[in-house]
Amino acid sequence: QEQLVESGGGLVQAGGSLRLSCAASGRTFRTYAMAWFRQAPGKEREFVGGISWSGRTYYADSVKGRFAISRDNAENTLVLQMNSLKREDTALYYCAADHLRPYTGDVPVNANGYSYWGQGTQVTVSS
């Protein structure tokens, strides 16, 4: 059974850093785009950043320059390094993976572009 499991969330002070990981199992996603989304209370789920199968990265303007996405295809793992965290980064962070469009350079920014989702990991940034 395909599964994505996020880890690494927690409570951090503003200006601090966190590293989120997403472990995939049940199948390999190395030829597909993967991404991170987040959802704050009362808000819609939003695209944080994504990475194509070839390693090209895309970021939301709100996190550009502060967050970095990487993937380890051998380990079937996706990583989100978050630096200079702000209170507005507080949200439940989700890992997502596509499985319909292999070997494309595109990274969907809409949630409906992804077929697999993790359960989420909470990130809370305090002032």
Side-chain angles (χ1 to χ4, degrees):
Q1 181 178 356
E2 298 85 357
Q3 191 174 14
L4 300 176
V5 179
E6 303 94 338
S7 62
L11 174 65
V12 63
Q13 287 190 330
S17 299
L18 278 176
R19 182 180 175 90
L20 305 185
S21 294
C22 172
S25 61
R27 69 173 296 154
T28 178
F29 294 99
R30 66 179 180 84
T31 61
Y32 299 95
M34 298 185 73
W36 290 95
F37 284 74
R38 66 187 181 186
Q39 188 166 16
K43 295 187 177 181
E44 294 186 353
R45 191 171 297 191
E46 65 173 358
F47 176 80
V48 174
I51 186 167
S52 71
W53 75 275
S54 61
R56 182 174 295 181
T57 55
Y58 302 83
Y59 299 96
D61 288 342
S62 59
V63 306
K64 202 172 293 183
R66 299 187 298 121
F67 290 11
I69 292 176
S70 60
R71 65 191 301 169
D72 183 335
N73 287 332
E75 297 292 329
N76 223 13
T77 299
L78 181 70
V79 172
L80 178 66
Q81 178 66 43
M82 305 186 294
N83 300 322
S84 302
L85 283 161
K86 304 176 181 179
R87 287 193 65 184
E88 51 263 43
D89 295 319
T90 294
L92 189 60
Y93 282 70
Y94 296 92
C95 171
D98 174 32
H99 89 294
L100 298 177
R101 293 168 291 269
Y103 298 113
T104 67
D106 294 333
V107 174
V109 297
N110 293 316
N112 58 15
Y114 298 88
S115 306
Y116 294 100
W117 292 85
Q119 293 300 305
T121 184
Q122 178 67 38
V123 171
T124 303
V125 184
S126 64
S127 58

PDB file of all heavy atoms in Angstrom, residues 1-41:
ATOM      1  N   GLN A   1       0.836  -1.178   0.000  1.00  0.00           N
ATOM      2  CA  GLN A   1       0.000   0.000   0.000  1.00  0.00           C
ATOM      3  C   GLN A   1       0.882   1.242   0.000  1.00  0.00           C
ATOM      4  O   GLN A   1       1.790   1.365   0.809  1.00  0.00           O
ATOM      5  CB  GLN A   1      -0.910   0.010   1.225  1.00  0.00           C
ATOM      6  CG  GLN A   1      -1.840   1.207   1.275  1.00  0.00           C
ATOM      7  CD  GLN A   1      -2.757   1.169   2.487  1.00  0.00           C
ATOM      8  OE1 GLN A   1      -2.755   0.212   3.251  1.00  0.00           O
ATOM      9  NE2 GLN A   1      -3.529   2.194   2.654  1.00  0.00           N
ATOM     10  N   GLU A   2       0.565   2.159  -0.937  1.00  0.00           N
ATOM     11  CA  GLU A   2       1.366   3.379  -1.024  1.00  0.00           C
ATOM     12  C   GLU A   2       1.095   4.273   0.181  1.00  0.00           C
ATOM     13  O   GLU A   2      -0.050   4.425   0.603  1.00  0.00           O
ATOM     14  CB  GLU A   2       1.012   4.145  -2.300  1.00  0.00           C
ATOM     15  CG  GLU A   2       1.298   3.390  -3.573  1.00  0.00           C
ATOM     16  CD  GLU A   2       0.169   2.458  -3.977  1.00  0.00           C
ATOM     17  OE1 GLU A   2      -0.815   2.367  -3.213  1.00  0.00           O
ATOM     18  OE2 GLU A   2       0.259   1.842  -5.046  1.00  0.00           O
ATOM     19  N   GLN A   3       2.169   4.857   0.682  1.00  0.00           N
ATOM     20  CA  GLN A   3       2.027   5.673   1.880  1.00  0.00           C
ATOM     21  C   GLN A   3       3.094   6.750   1.909  1.00  0.00           C
ATOM     22  O   GLN A   3       4.243   6.513   1.520  1.00  0.00           O
ATOM     23  CB  GLN A   3       2.156   4.782   3.128  1.00  0.00           C
ATOM     24  CG  GLN A   3       1.761   5.449   4.412  1.00  0.00           C
ATOM     25  CD  GLN A   3       1.771   4.472   5.589  1.00  0.00           C
ATOM     26  OE1 GLN A   3       2.315   3.377   5.499  1.00  0.00           O
ATOM     27  NE2 GLN A   3       1.159   4.868   6.682  1.00  0.00           N
ATOM     28  N   LEU A   4       2.695   7.933   2.362  1.00  0.00           N
ATOM     29  CA  LEU A   4       3.620   9.029   2.606  1.00  0.00           C
ATOM     30  C   LEU A   4       3.518   9.383   4.084  1.00  0.00           C
ATOM     31  O   LEU A   4       2.410   9.594   4.592  1.00  0.00           O
ATOM     32  CB  LEU A   4       3.265  10.245   1.751  1.00  0.00           C
ATOM     33  CG  LEU A   4       3.284  10.070   0.233  1.00  0.00           C
ATOM     34  CD1 LEU A   4       2.819  11.350  -0.453  1.00  0.00           C
ATOM     35  CD2 LEU A   4       4.671   9.688  -0.255  1.00  0.00           C
ATOM     36  N   VAL A   5       4.651   9.460   4.751  1.00  0.00           N
ATOM     37  CA  VAL A   5       4.658   9.756   6.180  1.00  0.00           C
ATOM     38  C   VAL A   5       5.606  10.909   6.444  1.00  0.00           C
ATOM     39  O   VAL A   5       6.811  10.806   6.194  1.00  0.00           O
ATOM     40  CB  VAL A   5       5.079   8.530   7.006  1.00  0.00           C
ATOM     41  CG1 VAL A   5       5.102   8.886   8.487  1.00  0.00           C
ATOM     42  CG2 VAL A   5       4.137   7.361   6.764  1.00  0.00           C
ATOM     43  N   GLU A   6       5.047  12.006   6.964  1.00  0.00           N
ATOM     44  CA  GLU A   6       5.853  13.173   7.282  1.00  0.00           C
ATOM     45  C   GLU A   6       6.374  13.080   8.716  1.00  0.00           C
ATOM     46  O   GLU A   6       5.747  12.468   9.582  1.00  0.00           O
ATOM     47  CB  GLU A   6       5.038  14.469   7.151  1.00  0.00           C
ATOM     48  CG  GLU A   6       4.401  14.695   5.799  1.00  0.00           C
ATOM     49  CD  GLU A   6       2.981  14.209   5.725  1.00  0.00           C
ATOM     50  OE1 GLU A   6       2.609  13.337   6.536  1.00  0.00           O
ATOM     51  OE2 GLU A   6       2.217  14.708   4.859  1.00  0.00           O
ATOM     52  N   SER A   7       7.506  13.728   8.942  1.00  0.00           N
ATOM     53  CA  SER A   7       8.064  13.841  10.284  1.00  0.00           C
ATOM     54  C   SER A   7       8.892  15.113  10.362  1.00  0.00           C
ATOM     55  O   SER A   7       9.212  15.719   9.330  1.00  0.00           O
ATOM     56  CB  SER A   7       8.933  12.622  10.617  1.00  0.00           C
ATOM     57  OG  SER A   7      10.024  12.542   9.725  1.00  0.00           O
ATOM     58  N   GLY A   8       9.224  15.504  11.594  1.00  0.00           N
ATOM     59  CA  GLY A   8      10.108  16.645  11.787  1.00  0.00           C
ATOM     60  C   GLY A   8       9.437  17.921  12.236  1.00  0.00           C
ATOM     61  O   GLY A   8      10.117  18.914  12.516  1.00  0.00           O
ATOM     62  N   GLY A   9       8.117  17.919  12.310  1.00  0.00           N
ATOM     63  CA  GLY A   9       7.435  19.119  12.768  1.00  0.00           C
ATOM     64  C   GLY A   9       7.664  19.360  14.249  1.00  0.00           C
ATOM     65  O   GLY A   9       8.217  18.527  14.956  1.00  0.00           O
ATOM     66  N   GLY A  10       7.238  20.539  14.701  1.00  0.00           N
ATOM     67  CA  GLY A  10       7.382  20.853  16.106  1.00  0.00           C
ATOM     68  C   GLY A  10       7.193  22.322  16.370  1.00  0.00           C
ATOM     69  O   GLY A  10       6.701  23.067  15.519  1.00  0.00           O
ATOM     70  N   LEU A  11       7.600  22.724  17.559  1.00  0.00           N
ATOM     71  CA  LEU A  11       7.497  24.111  17.997  1.00  0.00           C
ATOM     72  C   LEU A  11       8.872  24.765  17.903  1.00  0.00           C
ATOM     73  O   LEU A  11       9.862  24.202  18.402  1.00  0.00           O
ATOM     74  CB  LEU A  11       6.981  24.164  19.434  1.00  0.00           C
ATOM     75  CG  LEU A  11       6.932  25.534  20.107  1.00  0.00           C
ATOM     76  CD1 LEU A  11       5.933  26.433  19.388  1.00  0.00           C
ATOM     77  CD2 LEU A  11       6.562  25.375  21.575  1.00  0.00           C
ATOM     78  N   VAL A  12       8.929  25.920  17.281  1.00  0.00           N
ATOM     79  CA  VAL A  12      10.200  26.619  17.109  1.00  0.00           C
ATOM     80  C   VAL A  12       9.957  28.114  17.247  1.00  0.00           C
ATOM     81  O   VAL A  12       8.866  28.604  16.935  1.00  0.00           O
ATOM     82  CB  VAL A  12      10.820  26.273  15.735  1.00  0.00           C
ATOM     83  CG1 VAL A  12       9.939  26.745  14.591  1.00  0.00           C
ATOM     84  CG2 VAL A  12      12.230  26.833  15.610  1.00  0.00           C
ATOM     85  N   GLN A  13      10.956  28.817  17.704  1.00  0.00           N
ATOM     86  CA  GLN A  13      10.842  30.269  17.809  1.00  0.00           C
ATOM     87  C   GLN A  13      11.039  30.917  16.439  1.00  0.00           C
ATOM     88  O   GLN A  13      11.724  30.370  15.568  1.00  0.00           O
ATOM     89  CB  GLN A  13      11.870  30.814  18.796  1.00  0.00           C
ATOM     90  CG  GLN A  13      11.540  30.527  20.253  1.00  0.00           C
ATOM     91  CD  GLN A  13      12.447  31.287  21.203  1.00  0.00           C
ATOM     92  OE1 GLN A  13      13.593  31.568  20.883  1.00  0.00           O
ATOM     93  NE2 GLN A  13      11.927  31.619  22.377  1.00  0.00           N
ATOM     94  N   ALA A  14      10.443  32.077  16.295  1.00  0.00           N
ATOM     95  CA  ALA A  14      10.620  32.836  15.063  1.00  0.00           C
ATOM     96  C   ALA A  14      12.107  33.054  14.808  1.00  0.00           C
ATOM     97  O   ALA A  14      12.872  33.352  15.731  1.00  0.00           O
ATOM     98  CB  ALA A  14       9.889  34.159  15.154  1.00  0.00           C
ATOM     99  N   GLY A  15      12.490  32.869  13.558  1.00  0.00           N
ATOM    100  CA  GLY A  15      13.892  32.976  13.188  1.00  0.00           C
ATOM    101  C   GLY A  15      14.620  31.652  13.201  1.00  0.00           C
ATOM    102  O   GLY A  15      15.754  31.562  12.698  1.00  0.00           O
ATOM    103  N   GLY A  16      13.991  30.636  13.756  1.00  0.00           N
ATOM    104  CA  GLY A  16      14.616  29.327  13.849  1.00  0.00           C
ATOM    105  C   GLY A  16      14.430  28.491  12.600  1.00  0.00           C
ATOM    106  O   GLY A  16      13.899  28.962  11.589  1.00  0.00           O
ATOM    107  N   SER A  17      14.842  27.239  12.699  1.00  0.00           N
ATOM    108  CA  SER A  17      14.802  26.329  11.556  1.00  0.00           C
ATOM    109  C   SER A  17      14.181  24.999  11.946  1.00  0.00           C
ATOM    110  O   SER A  17      14.232  24.584  13.108  1.00  0.00           O
ATOM    111  CB  SER A  17      16.223  26.069  11.031  1.00  0.00           C
ATOM    112  OG  SER A  17      16.835  27.255  10.587  1.00  0.00           O
ATOM    113  N   LEU A  18      13.595  24.365  10.951  1.00  0.00           N
ATOM    114  CA  LEU A  18      13.089  23.008  11.094  1.00  0.00           C
ATOM    115  C   LEU A  18      13.357  22.262   9.790  1.00  0.00           C
ATOM    116  O   LEU A  18      13.392  22.888   8.719  1.00  0.00           O
ATOM    117  CB  LEU A  18      11.593  22.974  11.390  1.00  0.00           C
ATOM    118  CG  LEU A  18      11.117  23.191  12.818  1.00  0.00           C
ATOM    119  CD1 LEU A  18       9.595  23.210  12.870  1.00  0.00           C
ATOM    120  CD2 LEU A  18      11.666  22.131  13.763  1.00  0.00           C
ATOM    121  N   ARG A  19      13.470  20.958   9.907  1.00  0.00           N
ATOM    122  CA  ARG A  19      13.677  20.116   8.727  1.00  0.00           C
ATOM    123  C   ARG A  19      12.599  19.044   8.719  1.00  0.00           C
ATOM    124  O   ARG A  19      12.546  18.201   9.613  1.00  0.00           O
ATOM    125  CB  ARG A  19      15.056  19.475   8.782  1.00  0.00           C
ATOM    126  CG  ARG A  19      15.424  18.597   7.593  1.00  0.00           C
ATOM    127  CD  ARG A  19      16.825  18.032   7.810  1.00  0.00           C
ATOM    128  NE  ARG A  19      17.245  17.078   6.801  1.00  0.00           N
ATOM    129  CZ  ARG A  19      17.886  17.400   5.692  1.00  0.00           C
ATOM    130  NH1 ARG A  19      18.166  18.656   5.452  1.00  0.00           N
ATOM    131  NH2 ARG A  19      18.238  16.464   4.833  1.00  0.00           N
ATOM    132  N   LEU A  20      11.758  19.108   7.709  1.00  0.00           N
ATOM    133  CA  LEU A  20      10.694  18.120   7.561  1.00  0.00           C
ATOM    134  C   LEU A  20      11.138  17.038   6.585  1.00  0.00           C
ATOM    135  O   LEU A  20      11.794  17.331   5.589  1.00  0.00           O
ATOM    136  CB  LEU A  20       9.411  18.770   7.048  1.00  0.00           C
ATOM    137  CG  LEU A  20       8.853  19.955   7.834  1.00  0.00           C
ATOM    138  CD1 LEU A  20       7.516  20.387   7.242  1.00  0.00           C
ATOM    139  CD2 LEU A  20       8.718  19.632   9.297  1.00  0.00           C
ATOM    140  N   SER A  21      10.732  15.817   6.879  1.00  0.00           N
ATOM    141  CA  SER A  21      11.001  14.704   5.979  1.00  0.00           C
ATOM    142  C   SER A  21       9.702  14.007   5.615  1.00  0.00           C
ATOM    143  O   SER A  21       8.747  14.005   6.395  1.00  0.00           O
ATOM    144  CB  SER A  21      11.948  13.697   6.640  1.00  0.00           C
ATOM    145  OG  SER A  21      13.215  14.248   6.841  1.00  0.00           O
ATOM    146  N   CYS A  22       9.705  13.430   4.439  1.00  0.00           N
ATOM    147  CA  CYS A  22       8.560  12.664   3.967  1.00  0.00           C
ATOM    148  C   CYS A  22       9.094  11.346   3.423  1.00  0.00           C
ATOM    149  O   CYS A  22       9.844  11.333   2.447  1.00  0.00           O
ATOM    150  CB  CYS A  22       7.813  13.424   2.889  1.00  0.00           C
ATOM    151  SG  CYS A  22       6.511  12.492   2.063  1.00  0.00           S
ATOM    152  N   ALA A  23       8.722  10.271   4.087  1.00  0.00           N
ATOM    153  CA  ALA A  23       9.163   8.947   3.661  1.00  0.00           C
ATOM    154  C   ALA A  23       8.053   8.274   2.875  1.00  0.00           C
ATOM    155  O   ALA A  23       6.922   8.145   3.358  1.00  0.00           O
ATOM    156  CB  ALA A  23       9.538   8.108   4.875  1.00  0.00           C
ATOM    157  N   ALA A  24       8.389   7.859   1.667  1.00  0.00           N
ATOM    158  CA  ALA A  24       7.417   7.184   0.817  1.00  0.00           C
ATOM    159  C   ALA A  24       7.643   5.691   0.867  1.00  0.00           C
ATOM    160  O   ALA A  24       8.785   5.225   0.901  1.00  0.00           O
ATOM    161  CB  ALA A  24       7.545   7.682  -0.621  1.00  0.00           C
ATOM    162  N   SER A  25       6.570   4.951   0.858  1.00  0.00           N
ATOM    163  CA  SER A  25       6.675   3.503   0.848  1.00  0.00           C
ATOM    164  C   SER A  25       5.565   2.925  -0.020  1.00  0.00           C
ATOM    165  O   SER A  25       4.586   3.591  -0.329  1.00  0.00           O
ATOM    166  CB  SER A  25       6.576   2.942   2.267  1.00  0.00           C
ATOM    167  OG  SER A  25       5.332   3.273   2.845  1.00  0.00           O
ATOM    168  N   GLY A  26       5.742   1.705  -0.400  1.00  0.00           N
ATOM    169  CA  GLY A  26       4.722   1.041  -1.205  1.00  0.00           C
ATOM    170  C   GLY A  26       4.951   1.182  -2.699  1.00  0.00           C
ATOM    171  O   GLY A  26       4.469   0.364  -3.481  1.00  0.00           O
ATOM    172  N   ARG A  27       5.621   2.217  -3.116  1.00  0.00           N
ATOM    173  CA  ARG A  27       5.986   2.408  -4.504  1.00  0.00           C
ATOM    174  C   ARG A  27       7.058   3.486  -4.559  1.00  0.00           C
ATOM    175  O   ARG A  27       7.264   4.227  -3.595  1.00  0.00           O
ATOM    176  CB  ARG A  27       4.778   2.823  -5.358  1.00  0.00           C
ATOM    177  CG  ARG A  27       4.246   4.220  -5.061  1.00  0.00           C
ATOM    178  CD  ARG A  27       3.178   4.611  -6.068  1.00  0.00           C
ATOM    179  NE  ARG A  27       3.723   4.709  -7.394  1.00  0.00           N
ATOM    180  CZ  ARG A  27       2.997   4.544  -8.504  1.00  0.00           C
ATOM    181  NH1 ARG A  27       1.710   4.248  -8.427  1.00  0.00           N
ATOM    182  NH2 ARG A  27       3.545   4.682  -9.695  1.00  0.00           N
ATOM    183  N   THR A  28       7.718   3.610  -5.694  1.00  0.00           N
ATOM    184  CA  THR A  28       8.708   4.663  -5.856  1.00  0.00           C
ATOM    185  C   THR A  28       8.080   5.846  -6.576  1.00  0.00           C
ATOM    186  O   THR A  28       7.268   5.671  -7.489  1.00  0.00           O
ATOM    187  CB  THR A  28       9.932   4.161  -6.631  1.00  0.00           C
ATOM    188  OG1 THR A  28      10.839   5.253  -6.797  1.00  0.00           O
ATOM    189  CG2 THR A  28       9.535   3.628  -7.998  1.00  0.00           C
ATOM    190  N   PHE A  29       8.449   7.027  -6.162  1.00  0.00           N
ATOM    191  CA  PHE A  29       7.947   8.240  -6.798  1.00  0.00           C
ATOM    192  C   PHE A  29       9.068   8.972  -7.514  1.00  0.00           C
ATOM    193  O   PHE A  29       8.930  10.146  -7.846  1.00  0.00           O
ATOM    194  CB  PHE A  29       7.310   9.162  -5.746  1.00  0.00           C
ATOM    195  CG  PHE A  29       6.075   8.585  -5.119  1.00  0.00           C
ATOM    196  CD1 PHE A  29       6.125   7.962  -3.885  1.00  0.00           C
ATOM    197  CD2 PHE A  29       4.850   8.666  -5.761  1.00  0.00           C
ATOM    198  CE1 PHE A  29       4.985   7.427  -3.305  1.00  0.00           C
ATOM    199  CE2 PHE A  29       3.708   8.142  -5.194  1.00  0.00           C
ATOM    200  CZ  PHE A  29       3.773   7.520  -3.965  1.00  0.00           C
ATOM    201  N   ARG A  30      10.164   8.294  -7.758  1.00  0.00           N
ATOM    202  CA  ARG A  30      11.346   8.976  -8.271  1.00  0.00           C
ATOM    203  C   ARG A  30      11.134   9.588  -9.636  1.00  0.00           C
ATOM    204  O   ARG A  30      11.863  10.484 -10.027  1.00  0.00           O
ATOM    205  CB  ARG A  30      12.533   8.009  -8.300  1.00  0.00           C
ATOM    206  CG  ARG A  30      12.390   6.862  -9.273  1.00  0.00           C
ATOM    207  CD  ARG A  30      13.633   5.955  -9.241  1.00  0.00           C
ATOM    208  NE  ARG A  30      13.520   4.849 -10.174  1.00  0.00           N
ATOM    209  CZ  ARG A  30      13.819   4.933 -11.454  1.00  0.00           C
ATOM    210  NH1 ARG A  30      14.260   6.086 -11.958  1.00  0.00           N
ATOM    211  NH2 ARG A  30      13.687   3.890 -12.239  1.00  0.00           N
ATOM    212  N   THR A  31      10.158   9.126 -10.402  1.00  0.00           N
ATOM    213  CA  THR A  31       9.919   9.689 -11.739  1.00  0.00           C
ATOM    214  C   THR A  31       8.760  10.687 -11.757  1.00  0.00           C
ATOM    215  O   THR A  31       8.312  11.112 -12.816  1.00  0.00           O
ATOM    216  CB  THR A  31       9.632   8.573 -12.746  1.00  0.00           C
ATOM    217  OG1 THR A  31       8.455   7.860 -12.333  1.00  0.00           O
ATOM    218  CG2 THR A  31      10.798   7.622 -12.858  1.00  0.00           C
ATOM    219  N   TYR A  32       8.315  11.072 -10.558  1.00  0.00           N
ATOM    220  CA  TYR A  32       7.156  11.968 -10.463  1.00  0.00           C
ATOM    221  C   TYR A  32       7.478  13.201  -9.623  1.00  0.00           C
ATOM    222  O   TYR A  32       8.386  13.189  -8.798  1.00  0.00           O
ATOM    223  CB  TYR A  32       5.980  11.243  -9.807  1.00  0.00           C
ATOM    224  CG  TYR A  32       5.509  10.040 -10.578  1.00  0.00           C
ATOM    225  CD1 TYR A  32       5.976   8.773 -10.263  1.00  0.00           C
ATOM    226  CD2 TYR A  32       4.600  10.174 -11.620  1.00  0.00           C
ATOM    227  CE1 TYR A  32       5.551   7.667 -10.975  1.00  0.00           C
ATOM    228  CE2 TYR A  32       4.165   9.071 -12.330  1.00  0.00           C
ATOM    229  CZ  TYR A  32       4.649   7.820 -12.004  1.00  0.00           C
ATOM    230  OH  TYR A  32       4.221   6.724 -12.709  1.00  0.00           O
ATOM    231  N   ALA A  33       6.696  14.240  -9.856  1.00  0.00           N
ATOM    232  CA  ALA A  33       6.819  15.435  -9.040  1.00  0.00           C
ATOM    233  C   ALA A  33       6.328  15.161  -7.618  1.00  0.00           C
ATOM    234  O   ALA A  33       5.396  14.382  -7.402  1.00  0.00           O
ATOM    235  CB  ALA A  33       6.010  16.571  -9.643  1.00  0.00           C
ATOM    236  N   MET A  34       6.973  15.827  -6.678  1.00  0.00           N
ATOM    237  CA  MET A  34       6.529  15.779  -5.282  1.00  0.00           C
ATOM    238  C   MET A  34       6.513  17.198  -4.744  1.00  0.00           C
ATOM    239  O   MET A  34       7.196  18.085  -5.283  1.00  0.00           O
ATOM    240  CB  MET A  34       7.454  14.901  -4.435  1.00  0.00           C
ATOM    241  CG  MET A  34       7.483  13.446  -4.879  1.00  0.00           C
ATOM    242  SD  MET A  34       8.454  12.387  -3.778  1.00  0.00           S
ATOM    243  CE  MET A  34       7.374  12.285  -2.341  1.00  0.00           C
ATOM    244  N   ALA A  35       5.746  17.413  -3.702  1.00  0.00           N
ATOM    245  CA  ALA A  35       5.593  18.781  -3.226  1.00  0.00           C
ATOM    246  C   ALA A  35       5.223  18.815  -1.747  1.00  0.00           C
ATOM    247  O   ALA A  35       4.851  17.790  -1.157  1.00  0.00           O
ATOM    248  CB  ALA A  35       4.514  19.505  -4.032  1.00  0.00           C
ATOM    249  N   TRP A  36       5.349  20.002  -1.196  1.00  0.00           N
ATOM    250  CA  TRP A  36       4.876  20.287   0.161  1.00  0.00           C
ATOM    251  C   TRP A  36       3.758  21.320   0.065  1.00  0.00           C
ATOM    252  O   TRP A  36       3.874  22.321  -0.659  1.00  0.00           O
ATOM    253  CB  TRP A  36       6.004  20.838   1.026  1.00  0.00           C
ATOM    254  CG  TRP A  36       7.056  19.837   1.373  1.00  0.00           C
ATOM    255  CD1 TRP A  36       8.227  19.610   0.725  1.00  0.00           C
ATOM    256  CD2 TRP A  36       7.022  18.924   2.471  1.00  0.00           C
ATOM    257  NE1 TRP A  36       8.931  18.603   1.334  1.00  0.00           N
ATOM    258  CE2 TRP A  36       8.220  18.171   2.424  1.00  0.00           C
ATOM    259  CE3 TRP A  36       6.127  18.666   3.502  1.00  0.00           C
ATOM    260  CZ2 TRP A  36       8.527  17.182   3.356  1.00  0.00           C
ATOM    261  CZ3 TRP A  36       6.431  17.685   4.437  1.00  0.00           C
ATOM    262  CH2 TRP A  36       7.614  16.952   4.357  1.00  0.00           C
ATOM    263  N   PHE A  37       2.721  21.070   0.820  1.00  0.00           N
ATOM    264  CA  PHE A  37       1.629  22.006   0.984  1.00  0.00           C
ATOM    265  C   PHE A  37       1.476  22.287   2.486  1.00  0.00           C
ATOM    266  O   PHE A  37       1.999  21.552   3.317  1.00  0.00           O
ATOM    267  CB  PHE A  37       0.313  21.423   0.445  1.00  0.00           C
ATOM    268  CG  PHE A  37       0.211  21.427  -1.050  1.00  0.00           C
ATOM    269  CD1 PHE A  37       0.928  20.530  -1.819  1.00  0.00           C
ATOM    270  CD2 PHE A  37      -0.616  22.332  -1.700  1.00  0.00           C
ATOM    271  CE1 PHE A  37       0.836  20.528  -3.202  1.00  0.00           C
ATOM    272  CE2 PHE A  37      -0.725  22.338  -3.086  1.00  0.00           C
ATOM    273  CZ  PHE A  37       0.002  21.436  -3.835  1.00  0.00           C
ATOM    274  N   ARG A  38       0.746  23.326   2.800  1.00  0.00           N
ATOM    275  CA  ARG A  38       0.451  23.599   4.202  1.00  0.00           C
ATOM    276  C   ARG A  38      -0.944  24.174   4.327  1.00  0.00           C
ATOM    277  O   ARG A  38      -1.482  24.759   3.384  1.00  0.00           O
ATOM    278  CB  ARG A  38       1.482  24.563   4.803  1.00  0.00           C
ATOM    279  CG  ARG A  38       1.457  25.974   4.224  1.00  0.00           C
ATOM    280  CD  ARG A  38       2.621  26.788   4.776  1.00  0.00           C
ATOM    281  NE  ARG A  38       2.614  28.164   4.262  1.00  0.00           N
ATOM    282  CZ  ARG A  38       3.591  29.034   4.496  1.00  0.00           C
ATOM    283  NH1 ARG A  38       4.653  28.671   5.214  1.00  0.00           N
ATOM    284  NH2 ARG A  38       3.505  30.246   4.001  1.00  0.00           N
ATOM    285  N   GLN A  39      -1.484  24.000   5.505  1.00  0.00           N
ATOM    286  CA  GLN A  39      -2.822  24.513   5.771  1.00  0.00           C
ATOM    287  C   GLN A  39      -2.886  25.043   7.192  1.00  0.00           C
ATOM    288  O   GLN A  39      -2.667  24.292   8.150  1.00  0.00           O
ATOM    289  CB  GLN A  39      -3.877  23.434   5.568  1.00  0.00           C
ATOM    290  CG  GLN A  39      -5.297  23.953   5.642  1.00  0.00           C
ATOM    291  CD  GLN A  39      -6.305  22.946   5.117  1.00  0.00           C
ATOM    292  OE1 GLN A  39      -6.020  21.764   4.972  1.00  0.00           O
ATOM    293  NE2 GLN A  39      -7.502  23.431   4.811  1.00  0.00           N
ATOM    294  N   ALA A  40      -3.162  26.324   7.300  1.00  0.00           N
ATOM    295  CA  ALA A  40      -3.322  26.968   8.596  1.00  0.00           C
ATOM    296  C   ALA A  40      -4.801  26.938   8.975  1.00  0.00           C
ATOM    297  O   ALA A  40      -5.666  26.841   8.101  1.00  0.00           O
ATOM    298  CB  ALA A  40      -2.809  28.402   8.537  1.00  0.00           C
ATOM    299  N   PRO A  41      -5.110  27.035  10.257  1.00  0.00           N
ATOM    300  CA  PRO A  41      -6.512  27.018  10.688  1.00  0.00           C
ATOM    301  C   PRO A  41      -7.336  28.090   9.998  1.00  0.00           C
ATOM    302  O   PRO A  41      -6.933  29.258   9.947  1.00  0.00           O
ATOM    303  CB  PRO A  41      -6.412  27.269  12.192  1.00  0.00           C
ATOM    304  CG  PRO A  41      -5.061  26.779  12.570  1.00  0.00           C
ATOM    305  CD  PRO A  41      -4.183  27.091  11.399  1.00  0.00           C
TER     306      PRO A  41
END
